[in-house]
Amino acid sequence: MKRFLKYLLLVVFVFSVMLNVFLIFRLEKELNRTSTTAALRNELYERETSPFQYLSIENGAVLKASNVKVRNGNLFHEAEYETVYDVKFKIASTATVTTFKDVEVSFMFYRGNTLLKTENETLQGDFHPYSERNFSIRVNPPSGYDSWNMMVKDAGSRSKVDFK
């Protein structure tokens, strides 16, 4: 009987040591995973420095001309109208952890292959990861243009997304 109790105590002791070793390895693995996640997040943040790669103007940008009344008509003259051009477009962010701020967009107007005019507009606000925002901007194209294009020129300061 004494021998049986000795073996039982030995088995319990070995089992508790194995359990402690298992728990220590599991805790160490969990700590490494947490630091690895933070390291991966910081590495992604450092890679996402270029707004050209992560901010894009979605297909479907439309330049629309419309007539706006500038002056009402009266007995001595007719009403005056002015043609204005509005561009409607959507900017999408494909960044994973970076928020871009104050994006600058360039509008280029061409006649054939010749650049006639470039206009720059700054779009205020935050562009969060995996988000889209719609815009409508009034532009002044030169007379005689036959094609136009637009692109993201730059983005201001950026900040990290906090994962909590």
Side-chain angles (χ1 to χ4, degrees), residues 63-65 85 87 108-112 114-117 139-149:
L63 178 65
K64 181 180 176 186
Y85 296 87
V87 178
M108 291 139 316
F109 299 96
Y110 299 92
R111 181 180 304 144
T114 306
L115 178 65
L116 297 177
K117 182 180 178 184
V139 295
N140 298 313
S143 60
Y145 81 97
D146 58 11
S147 63
W148 66 282
N149 193 7

Side-chain angles (χ1 to χ4, degrees), residues 61-63 85-89 107 135-137 139 148 150:
V62 177
L63 178 65
Y85 296 87
D86 293 320
V87 178
K88 293 184 180 186
F89 59 97
F107 299 93
F135 292 94
S136 179
I137 294 178
V139 295
W148 66 282
M150 61 187 295

